[in-house]
Amino acid sequence: MSEAAITGMEASAAKILTRAIEMERHGKYQTALVCYQEGIDLLLEVLKASKDPNKKKHYRSKIEEYMTQAEKVKVLLERLKQEGKYHEQLKIEDNATGHGYSAIFSPYMDETVVEVWIEDAYIRSYHQVNNFLRFCELLCTRCDNLKTVNLSTSTDDNNSSNQQENIACIARSLSQRGIILNVNYVSNLHDREIRFSNGWIIKVGRGLDYFKKVDKFCIGFHDMNQRPCHSTTVDIFHSKHTRDR
Amino acid sequence: MSEAAITGMEASAAKILTRAIEMERHGKYQTALVCYQEGIDLLLEVLKASKDPNKKKHYRSKIEEYMTQAEKVKVLLERLKQEGKYHEQLKIEDNATGHGYSAIFSPYMDETVVEVWIEDAYIRSYHQVNNFLRFCELLCTRCDNLKTVNLSTSTDDNNSSNQQENIACIARSLSQRGIILNVNYVSNLHDREIRFSNGWIIKVGRGLDYFKKVDKFCIGFHDMNQRPCHSTTVDIFHSKHTRDR
């Protein structure tokens, strides 16, 4: 790696570690942990690429320092989770990018998830059912032990046969991977919520449909991380009781 | 993290590090490096989560060992690149998954890429132009300093106006990000090749169109990593001279 590349990588590490500290200060511990991890990974790259023994020593001590801090955050987070007191909030600004499903949900999806509950009244139109499919694709990638997905949504009165047919396609495709999709069509859904059996609960104000439309053949049409968002709030909770009602 | 989760992560690290060693043995040094990095990252997670001081010591020494090995591979790779002797080959089997553009091309895309040349006769039909868009989206994500994309493809005689209109949309979208797309419609393209200005040259036997069709509303429709592939060969070279003709 060239010196310029190392400098760039070090600057990136500094930026994300600053963000980690800031997130920690604001009590966003799960996000802080992800930032610490990414920053430490970058510093490890810098350490490996660097030739100067003094600099190597400096990077090693920095890495050690951030790892210790990340461990502290992990312990604190674990305690809050155990006490059922965890709450984190993310505000997505109008036109912001970088908030694809993977960016929002990945920190909470892992091999401990065996069941997911999605309540979202608007899994109805063509693009909304596609949103749900993208969410399921992410589940398939991240949750190796997933067995059941439960979707509660409302019926599209103008086009219910298409809606139900398209969701049935997703169900068949999931079943080929050993995952059952249960669908409840309900009329009085008042909340939007995604709940994982590992205890994480994510409430996106707009549900899964928080992206702005991007024209065909434009950057961001496929990659939702590059698509501008509507403003919305994401609330993240943790409950020891995964289904307490 | 639970003991079970740590054990699972350690097993994953062992698996990918075995793959790193195997790749290195077969001379696939760039792929080996990526595997080493991923394996080391997992071991670092295990190290952080582990409580037992003896185990921690064991993991630290393992991490040190693999980092040393990865540095050796990096030096060797650099020498081969300098000598213009680097060649790596990946065979994608029929119906294999996990070979989205990010998996194939990311190791060679970085901030040193300022220009890209794509020669692919079949950026013609609707899904093929979408393939090209997906490739451009990846470029936008990975290559922070990209200035110019050069596409050489052939004209779709049955539908040239649609083809050219759709590619023009991509050009407008890229230009909004300060990236120029130059398109050459040529009739006698005999090779398929993607060439990055950092010296990496990737030849996919089938060009960008190596995915099988997946029905709408099925897993893999959006996430190309989950889409089965046609069998094809990927050849990777490095040339100090980025444009030697």
Side-chain angles (χ1 to χ4, degrees), chain A residues 37 45 48 130 137 220 222, chain B residues 37 45 48 130 137 220 222:
Chain A
Q37 182 58 53
E45 286 284 331
K48 282 192 290 176
N130 266 303
E137 288 183 336
H222 298 289
Chain B
Q37 182 58 51
E45 286 283 332
K48 282 191 291 177
N130 266 304
E137 287 183 337
H222 297 290

Side-chain angles (χ1 to χ4, degrees), chain B residues 2-163:
Chain B
S2 69
E3 274 303 317
I6 295 177
T7 309
M9 197 174 267
E10 196 185 348
S12 309
K15 205 169 152 188
I16 200 162
L17 287 163
T18 305
R19 195 170 133 78
I21 292 161
E22 194 190 322
M23 289 294 115
E24 184 187 340
R25 196 182 299 137
H26 287 86
K28 300 179 181 178
Y29 299 120
Q30 183 75 12
T31 311
L33 266 184
V34 173
C35 292
Y36 274 121
Q37 182 58 51
E38 285 185 24
I40 290 165
D41 286 351
L42 282 175
L43 278 186
L44 279 162
E45 286 283 332
V46 173
L47 170 66
K48 282 191 291 177
S50 177
K51 305 267 181 279
D52 180 338
N54 282 327
K55 280 193 180 165
K56 271 188 177 300
K57 200 177 152 190
H58 166 75
Y59 293 131
R60 278 210 188 85
S61 100
K62 278 281 161 199
I63 289 167
E64 188 90 5
E65 185 186 311
Y66 287 116
M67 281 172 80
T68 308
Q69 191 58 25
E71 285 192 60
K72 273 189 207 161
V73 173
K74 196 175 261 181
V75 169
L76 176 59
L77 176 63
E78 206 45 53
R79 208 194 63 215
L80 287 170
K81 279 162 65 176
Q82 287 305 321
E83 293 171 356
K85 284 180 185 163
Y86 191 79
H87 178 212
E88 186 173 307
Q89 196 174 65
L90 165 72
K91 283 192 188 294
I92 298 178
E93 306 287 339
D94 191 49
N95 277 324
T97 55
H99 300 294
Y101 294 152
S102 173
I104 300 287
F105 297 108
S106 283
Y108 314 99
M109 288 175 162
D110 59 23
E111 73 289 344
T112 65
V113 174
V114 293
E115 190 162 3
V116 183
W117 295 264
I118 298 135
E119 296 188 0
D120 188 327
Y122 293 95
I123 305 296
R124 291 162 50 151
S125 68
Y126 188 84
H127 81 276
Q128 289 166 342
V129 178
N130 266 304
N131 282 341
F132 179 64
L133 172 61
R134 283 176 187 266
F135 183 78
C136 289
E137 287 183 337
L138 185 63
L139 284 172
C140 288
T141 305
R142 300 280 308 176
C143 305
D144 285 346
N145 297 309
L146 184 66
K147 294 281 172 290
T148 315
V149 177
N150 304 285
L151 170 66
S152 296
T153 191
S154 64
T155 306
D156 187 344
D157 292 332
N158 297 319
N159 208 349
S160 68
S161 73
N162 264 344
Q163 177 197 19

Side-chain angles (χ1 to χ4, degrees), chain A residues 151-168:
Chain A
L151 170 66
S152 295
T153 191
S154 64
T155 305
D156 187 346
D157 292 334
N158 298 318
N159 208 348
S160 67
S161 72
N162 263 346
Q163 177 197 19
Q164 293 180 21
E165 201 175 291
N166 295 339
I167 293 177

Side-chain angles (χ1 to χ4, degrees), chain A residues 216-217, chain B residues 129 159-172 185:
Chain A
K216 278 178 190 174
F217 299 109
Chain B
V129 178
N159 208 349
S160 68
S161 73
N162 264 344
Q163 177 197 19
Q164 293 180 22
E165 202 175 289
N166 295 340
I167 292 176
C169 284
I170 298 179
R172 280 195 298 277
Y185 292 99

Side-chain angles (χ1 to χ4, degrees), chain B residues 219-232:
Chain B
I219 299 292
F221 184 75
H222 297 290
D223 180 359
M224 306 298 260
N225 261 326
Q226 296 188 66
R227 197 180 273 215
C229 297
H230 293 285
S231 71
T232 191

Side-chain angles (χ1 to χ4, degrees), chain A residues 113-136:
Chain A
V113 175
V114 293
E115 190 161 5
V116 184
W117 296 265
I118 298 135
E119 295 188 1
D120 188 327
Y122 294 95
I123 306 295
R124 291 159 53 147
S125 68
Y126 187 84
H127 81 276
Q128 289 166 343
V129 179
N130 266 303
N131 282 340
F132 178 65
L133 172 60
R134 283 175 188 266
F135 183 79
C136 289

